[in-house]
Amino acid sequence: MTLQSRYKRFASIGLGHLLYAAFNWVLDHVIYVYAVFTWGVVLGGGVMALFSLIQCALTLRFYEKMQIDWVGAGVLNAFLAKQPNSLLGRLFCRISKKRKAVFIFLCVFSDPFITTAYFRKGRFNGLTAQDWRIFLYSVLISNGYWICVCALLGNGIASLWQWLSMRIDLIMYFYPS
């Protein structure tokens, strides 16, 4: 692999992650929190989990059709196959063999699409029943975790707002303009 093709590969991985992360940031940190806070954990969480399932499934199908490994799972798999000599590389190899821990980590810190793409290891030969099982379990774990986080965030922001407005009201009462 030439140096130029490596740069192109890493640029496509970086750009893919950047664009996907920007879209997901708005979805996760604004819309998801608002829905869970406004409609509650059950209704808001259920609606957003369903939306997440649809969005990630469509992204997974699109990713499969594109056949461009912008997630970087194939690059990572090739790196792990070489048995790196550095301490960090060996540590990363050891951790990556703990499939359940990696699965939970990806569910919590990523989303069902990224988790499923990682476990496909750069394959683009059709989505198997195993791929869809990983995807559905990931939807359950990712959204269950994120619903709890959103409930805490929404309630925390609301409590902070109440506290601040109470302080502002007191200041305005004692120091009228």
Side-chain angles (χ1 to χ4, degrees):
M1 180 180 282
T2 67
L3 189 59
Q4 187 177 10
S5 65
R6 283 185 185 166
Y7 283 134
K8 281 185 178 181
R9 184 177 231 177
F10 285 115
S12 70
I13 291 170
L15 182 62
H17 276 282
L18 179 71
L19 293 173
Y20 191 68
F23 170 77
N24 277 342
W25 190 91
V26 172
L27 179 71
D28 291 345
H29 294 88
V30 178
I31 298 169
Y32 214 120
V33 173
Y34 180 78
V36 170
F37 179 73
T38 305
W39 298 332
V41 172
V42 175
L43 178 61
V47 166
M48 292 310 295
L50 180 62
F51 183 76
S52 168
L53 182 141
I54 293 167
Q55 180 257 325
C56 289
L58 290 174
T59 306
L60 187 60
R61 296 294 296 224
F62 183 68
Y63 178 73
E64 176 70 20
K65 281 193 183 296
M66 280 178 40
Q67 295 194 355
I68 299 172
D69 185 24
W70 59 264
V71 170
V75 172
L76 191 58
N77 195 39
F79 172 76
L80 295 173
K82 288 183 181 178
Q83 295 297 320
N85 293 329
S86 69
L87 177 63
L88 190 59
R90 287 193 314 263
L91 180 64
F92 190 71
C93 277
R94 182 172 288 173
I95 291 169
S96 70
K97 290 178 182 169
K98 299 185 184 316
R99 291 177 53 85
K100 288 179 185 173
V102 170
F103 178 78
I104 298 295
F105 177 84
L106 287 173
C107 287
V108 167
F109 292 105
S110 189
D111 71 356
F113 161 67
I114 297 290
T115 303
T116 306
Y118 171 81
F119 280 99
R120 296 191 74 225
K121 299 180 179 182
R123 283 187 298 112
F124 291 105
N125 56 351
L127 295 164
T128 65
Q130 177 67 17
D131 295 332
W132 286 112
R133 262 192 305 281
I134 289 170
F135 176 75
L136 290 175
Y137 284 131
S138 180
V139 166
L140 291 173
I141 293 170
S142 294
N143 284 283
Y145 168 78
W146 199 244
I147 288 168
C148 293
V149 168
C150 288
L152 290 172
L153 278 173
N155 288 323
I157 292 168
S159 296
L160 179 63
W161 181 256
Q162 268 185 322
W163 183 82
L164 284 173
S165 55
M166 217 167 62
R167 297 306 177 265
I168 292 170
D169 287 345
L170 281 173
I171 290 170
M172 296 305 286
Y173 179 75
F174 287 111
Y175 302 105
S177 47

